[in-house]
Structures are given as C-alpha cells and as structure tokens.
Amino acid sequence: MHNYSEKFEKMKIAGNLAARTLDMLTDYIKPGITTDYIDKLGYEFIKDNGGHSAPLFYRGFKKSLCTSLNHVVCHGIPSDRILEEGESLNVDVTAIVNEHYGDTSRMFCVGKASIKANNLINATYDSMMKAIKILRPGLKLGDIGHEIQAYVEEKGFSVVKDFCGHGIGTIFHEEPNILHYGKKNTGIELVPGMTFTIEPMINAGKYETKVLQDGWTAVTKDKSLSAQFEHTVGITENSYEIFTESAKGYTKPPFNN
C-alpha cells in the first residue's frame, strides 16, 4: 500500500458521486427546462447520496453547480433562464464526501447542437483526454498545457488563459495551477500521490475573456462559443488514475441514452 492509496480511495468516492450526478442530469437536459432546475436536481442528488456540494456558499456563490451556456466560459450561475434547442451547456459539479473533493464537468447539447458547436465540444474533450493519457511521474506540467494547446490550435480554436486547473484533495483549490497552454519540459515535475484537475476551456474564437458584473460569470470577449470538460486525476507510481469517470460510460455528447 502506498502512503497515498487511502487518499486516492476517498477521492474516488467523491469523484464517483460528482460523475454520477452528471450521469443523472443527462436525461433531463433538454429544451424547456431552466438551469435552476438542473441545479436543484444536482443539489438533491448529491445530498441524498451522502455528499455536499462544494460550490454552494463558496466565496458567496449561491448555487450548487455551475451552468455555463454557449459563450459562457465558466462559473455560470444557475437561473430561471430556459434552455433552447441548439444551445450548448457545461455543467460543473464538485462533490465533497468525507472531506475529500471530486470535481468534474461535461458539455451537453440542448437538443441538437450545430456542427460548429459539436466540433468545438469534440476538440475540447479530446484535448483533455490527450493530456490525461501522457500523465506519469517525471512529466512536467508544461507538457500537459502543450498537449492541449497544440491540439486545439491546429483545429483553429483557442485556449483560455485566464482560468486553469488546480490541485485538489481535502481543499477545493490548491497548488499547483494546471495551465492548459505551455511549453514542453517546463514547470514542476509530477510525482506519485499528486491530485489535480485538468479542465481545458476552449473558445471557437479568440481566447480573451471577461467577468460579468455578478463577479462570477466569465464569458468570451468576442461572444464566440466556449466549451469545457474536466476530470480529477491522481498520479500513481508509473501512470495515472481518473477519479471522475462516468459509471455509465458517458464521455461527450451525444450520450447514448
């Protein structure tokens, strides 16, 4: 037993609850419902399954999930806004179980998304998975960012630089910051036992963002579409483990319901 295996087991439990919350929400996300309804469903599911929602009351945030629609990059606040056919939505869930955090997000298509939105969503998911698949002790943080940046820029998309992944464990956000852009062989070296999120935010247009007056909602400055996926991962002796995989095998839309 490695000295981090107990931590990994606990993070897997929290990560599993966060992923199951997204699995549960999948059937509900369709035209005509509000993001507040999604928030309520998520809050109740996490509570009923022995967890707490990390965003609720975090630095004054008043909702349990983040719902980021269309050109919202991240930290969208659930509201009475009704989802419409063809929109794209990111739902970000962080569950706390036994003081350990599991943080994950997925994109959803409301009805049928445009080809442009689908292309962006696919590139974002694939960039995250490409970065995860190279993880191992000895790798540098810059390699993670480089993998994502090189992949999406080749497709004509841009990487958001104002927000990044983060260390996570018994604290929601801690060192190190995981940038989604960078140069190979730069930054700190990964070691066994490290736990952090990889959560690329990718824009169809330029990478610049701005935060709205509510102090939370980040949007693309040029109003272009944005997409994001997120997993919480841990570094093992010679590889990695994903703590937030879907129990139903859901990865990116369209989900095979």
Side-chain angles (χ1 to χ4, degrees):
M1 290 280 279
H2 300 295
N3 57 0
Y4 55 79
S5 30
E6 191 183 337
K7 173 189 175 187
F8 276 27
E9 283 308 311
K10 288 181 172 170
M11 289 189 70
K12 214 186 295 182
I13 290 165
N16 178 263
L17 177 53
R20 281 192 294 137
T21 306
L22 289 174
D23 287 352
M24 176 276 296
L25 288 170
T26 304
D27 291 340
Y28 291 95
I29 295 175
K30 48 181 68 124
I33 69 158
T34 65
T35 50
D36 253 342
Y37 180 59
I38 294 168
D39 185 68
K40 184 171 173 286
L41 289 171
Y43 168 78
E44 287 171 357
F45 185 84
I46 292 168
K47 195 179 69 167
D48 290 349
N49 285 278
H52 301 280
S53 167
L56 189 58
F57 308 130
Y58 178 77
R59 294 184 182 166
F61 195 80
K62 292 188 169 63
K63 301 288 178 172
S64 297
L65 315 175
C66 293
T67 51
S68 301
L69 200 55
N70 302 327
H71 71 288
V72 177
V73 174
C74 59
H75 306 153
I77 304 170
S79 70
D80 57 5
R81 163 76 153 78
I82 291 168
L83 298 181
E84 294 173 20
E85 177 72 34
E87 295 191 301
S88 52
L89 175 73
N90 176 275
V91 180
D92 193 334
V93 177
T94 307
I96 313 171
V97 185
N98 295 325
E99 296 173 359
H100 286 69
Y101 288 73
D103 189 359
T104 184
S105 84
R106 278 179 221 159
M107 293 300 296
F108 296 87
C109 296
V110 183
K112 197 167 165 37
S114 67
I115 289 170
K116 190 177 172 185
N118 271 320
N119 288 344
L120 177 66
I121 287 167
N122 287 336
T124 305
Y125 177 78
D126 292 344
S127 76
M128 173 184 72
M129 292 311 297
K130 277 178 172 295
I132 289 173
K133 283 174 179 158
I134 63 170
L135 296 176
R136 55 174 172 71
L139 189 80
K140 302 276 184 65
L141 281 186
D143 292 271
I144 296 173
H146 178 269
E147 197 72 24
I148 292 165
Q149 184 178 19
Y151 183 75
V152 302
E153 286 183 356
E154 195 180 305
K155 296 191 175 301
F157 302 130
S158 61
V159 179
V160 170
K161 299 185 174 173
D162 297 334
F163 302 94
C164 58
H166 51 89
I168 189 169
T170 53
I171 297 171
F172 195 174
H173 298 102
E174 58 187 4
E175 292 297 314
N177 286 335
I178 311 295
L179 304 180
H180 302 113
Y181 60 95
K183 292 187 169 65
K184 277 185 171 180
N185 213 25
T186 61
I188 67 166
E189 200 170 280
L190 302 185
V191 295
M194 277 175 92
T195 49
F196 52 86
T197 70
I198 296 182
E199 48 180 300
M201 287 144 267
I202 308 299
N203 296 346
K206 298 197 169 88
Y207 68 82
E208 288 89 354
T209 68
K210 65 177 182 183
V211 175
L212 300 184
Q213 278 177 321
D214 60 33
W216 284 102
T217 310
V219 298
T220 55
K221 263 194 180 166
D222 62 7
K223 298 282 200 308
S224 66
L225 283 177
S226 189
Q228 181 186 22
F229 283 87
E230 175 181 19
H231 270 316
T232 299
V233 298
I235 303 300
T236 61
E237 286 309 294
N238 47 24
S239 186
Y240 65 87
E241 195 170 341
I242 302 175
F243 301 134
T244 45
E245 279 185 310
S246 162
K248 291 189 172 179
Y250 292 163
T251 53
K252 58 188 179 183
F255 301 103
N256 302 319
N257 297 338

